[in-house]
Amino acid sequence: MKKFKKETIAAKAGIGTDANHGSIVPPIYLSSNFEYEELGKGQEYEYTRETNPSRDHLINALTQLENGVGGEILSSGMAAISLVANILNINSKVILPHDCYGGTHRLFSSLAKKGMLDAYFINQGEESFCKKTIAKINPDLIWVETPSNPLLQAVDIKKISKEAKACDALVVVDNTFLSPFLQNPLKLGADIVMHSTTKYINGHSDVIGGALITNDHEILSKLKFWANALGITGSPFDSYLTLRGLRTLGIRMEKHEKNAAAIVELISTHPKINKIYYPGLPSHPSHAIAKKQQNGFGGMLSFEILGDLEGVKNFIEGMNILPLAASLGGFESLVSHPYTMTHGNLTPDQRKEVGISENLIRISAGLENTEDLLKSVNRGLKKI
Ligand SMILES: *Cc1c(COP(=O)(O)O)cnc(C)c1O
């Protein structure tokens, strides 16, 4: 098949596949089951838990966008992460980022507690990680999440993948924060790329979903087997909505990034702002690596205000058009307070270790008019 650029892949996905009526947009196949054409002969679609045409349209589009050979659509990002955990053998050794997504941490540490596997939560950004730690642990799987939440620290996927190959470990990259438009981990040596499609890919804050894409046929058949065995594939209707969102992902990512960069510029000289975490800033510790392995800096930013919890509260109230909410990647800008929200269940010491202070604020820049957004941030700044 002819190789198209990403925007074209997203726009063309599933178009021209309706042989019955020639509908431009592929219909949603809600049917739970499909009629057998011939007794005793298998066919592509039999039962929707295993395979479904609406899910396949989305899988095919994401597979092309991530340069894979195939993948699976799951009922949530966490279902996708659980699926990876389920293809592992018992007693596997898994290395994860010390500051990974809270749900990932909860799942793997709970599986470890039950004795299913060994989980090692490590700062993958340290010099010694690739040089010594990987070889010393000799893991079966390395889970990577780059850039991290909420400080947007990036790690070198290529370097980690190279070390992982040397000990036959799988590399899985959670690519939720950048989407397939801004980073393609399989091209950098990863074996599986994971998305919470709940975030940028669907982009309209009305679907919970997940995806895994791989470039290895053997891994793919394991993923398909276990997705069906566990019964965690995504619904046809959610797949339809997510593909609808995916069609505009390219243009949305441009605007998300433009709005994030504008906020960064506005606050960068403000006397009430202490530190800014945005990889587009040359002063960010991950600027060079983000520039190397990403196609953009994305729409997320965090910053510390000069002030306490009261100041944070006043800032958030002052911005007024931005809802206080934990998710990200939707059309609407959101503000969150990691210390009490996403990282609220960590101990004070753990929060300190991963750099989450009381005065840290995270913004997921949405698609609003840039001037309106800046006015809102300015109102917040005045209230600190
Ligand atoms: C949201 C999120 C997940 C989990 O996805 P759900 O769709 O909420 O289950 C995993 N990783 C990252 C980075 C996320 O932001």
Side-chain angles (χ1 to χ4, degrees):
M1 196 169 70
K2 199 169 173 316
K3 185 91 178 88
F4 289 110
K5 297 261 195 294
K6 288 176 179 171
E7 294 88 338
T8 316
I9 292 169
K12 286 180 75 70
I15 306 287
T17 55
D18 176 22
N20 286 337
H21 307 292
S23 72
I24 294 295
V25 173
I28 318 173
Y29 290 89
L30 293 173
S31 188
S32 55
N33 48 356
F34 297 82
E35 187 177 354
Y36 281 90
E37 280 175 19
E38 210 184 310
L39 183 74
K41 200 172 150 214
Q43 56 191 34
E44 194 173 8
Y45 300 112
E46 296 173 355
Y47 191 59
T48 281
R49 180 182 356 94
E50 187 168 16
T51 48
N52 174 278
S54 301
R55 206 157 55 227
D56 276 353
H57 287 311
L58 178 59
I59 295 174
N60 292 341
L62 289 175
T63 297
Q64 288 181 62
L65 290 173
E66 286 287 15
N67 291 83
V69 295
E72 192 53 273
I73 301 301
L74 295 315
S75 57
S76 68
M78 284 317 302
I81 299 169
S82 311
L83 180 51
V84 172
N86 273 284
I87 66 166
L88 295 174
N89 292 325
I90 202 104
N91 292 329
S92 286
K93 290 184 201 167
V94 182
I95 296 179
L96 300 109
H98 71 145
D99 54 356
C100 65
Y101 178 72
T104 311
H105 197 290
R106 177 172 53 207
L107 176 66
F108 279 93
S109 58
S110 304
L111 290 174
K113 252 188 225 144
K114 285 208 296 185
M116 314 270 286
L117 47 82
D118 291 327
Y120 301 83
F121 295 93
I122 295 173
N123 182 351
Q124 299 179 350
E126 273 177 4
E127 265 298 297
S128 57
F129 179 64
C130 278
K131 278 198 175 140
K132 276 192 225 138
T133 315
I134 296 178
K136 203 170 130 200
I137 294 177
N138 192 23
D140 299 284
L141 183 137
I142 303 178
W143 189 274
V144 174
E145 185 185 322
T146 178
S148 70
N149 174 37
L151 303 182
L152 306 164
Q153 311 282 347
V155 294
D156 194 325
I157 299 172
K158 213 178 211 170
K159 229 160 115 184
I160 293 175
S161 301
K162 202 172 148 227
E163 291 307 316
K165 293 267 139 59
C167 47
D168 239 353
L170 283 182
V171 174
V172 186
V173 178
D174 183 337
N175 202 21
T176 301
F177 265 49
L178 291 174
S179 93
F181 274 80
L182 299 191
Q183 182 168 265
N184 297 116
L186 300 182
K187 278 190 178 172
L188 301 166
D191 303 287
I192 301 175
V193 53
M194 176 255 151
H195 286 282
S196 165
T197 56
T198 310
K199 315 294 164 56
Y200 286 109
I201 291 178
N202 179 61
H204 291 72
S205 305
D206 51 8
V207 173
I208 297 282
L212 295 173
I213 302 102
T214 178
N215 51 10
D216 181 295
H217 287 283
E218 206 176 309
I219 295 172
L220 180 63
S221 64
K222 277 189 203 167
L223 294 176
K224 296 252 175 215
F225 173 87
W226 281 103
N228 182 48
L230 295 162
I232 55 174
T233 49
S235 82
F237 191 71
D238 285 353
S239 301
Y240 168 82
L241 281 178
T242 305
L243 180 58
R244 196 177 194 265
L246 181 72
R247 299 204 188 279
T248 55
L249 180 59
I251 197 161
R252 282 190 285 115
M253 289 315 291
E254 282 174 26
K255 178 77 177 190
H256 286 303
E257 180 160 342
K258 185 175 165 238
N259 275 347
I263 296 173
V264 168
E265 197 190 327
L266 172 75
I267 64 176
S268 62
T269 52
H270 197 278
K272 293 274 176 62
I273 299 293
N274 187 25
K275 266 188 206 158
I276 304 175
Y277 299 92
Y278 186 66
L281 286 173
S283 58
H284 189 279
S286 296
H287 177 69
I289 168 166
K291 227 170 133 176
K292 192 178 74 172
Q293 76 182 5
Q294 303 174 190
N295 305 320
F297 299 114
M300 302 295 299
L301 67 133
S302 297
F303 48 91
E304 285 178 6
I305 62 158
L306 276 178
D308 52 10
L309 214 50
E310 192 64 22
V312 167
K313 213 172 148 204
N314 292 339
F315 174 79
I316 291 171
E317 276 171 16
M319 284 201 303
N320 70 28
I321 67 162
L322 270 67
L324 179 67
S327 196
L328 64 116
F331 60 87
E332 78 290 17
S333 290
L334 295 174
V335 60
S336 80
H337 183 239
Y339 191 87
T340 55
M341 292 163 64
T342 46
H343 296 68
N345 52 2
L346 297 185
T347 65
D349 275 351
Q350 284 171 322
R351 279 184 292 220
K352 202 166 174 194
E353 195 208 321
V354 294
I356 312 288
S357 58
E358 198 181 58
N359 51 350
L360 184 76
I361 290 167
R362 186 190 80 175
I363 289 181
S364 169
L367 305 177
E368 296 87 353
N369 175 278
T370 310
E371 267 173 53
D372 284 344
L373 199 51
L374 295 183
K375 271 187 205 154
S376 173
V377 174
N378 250 330
R379 275 197 301 271
L381 289 169
K382 286 205 186 89
K383 290 279 167 65
I384 297 175

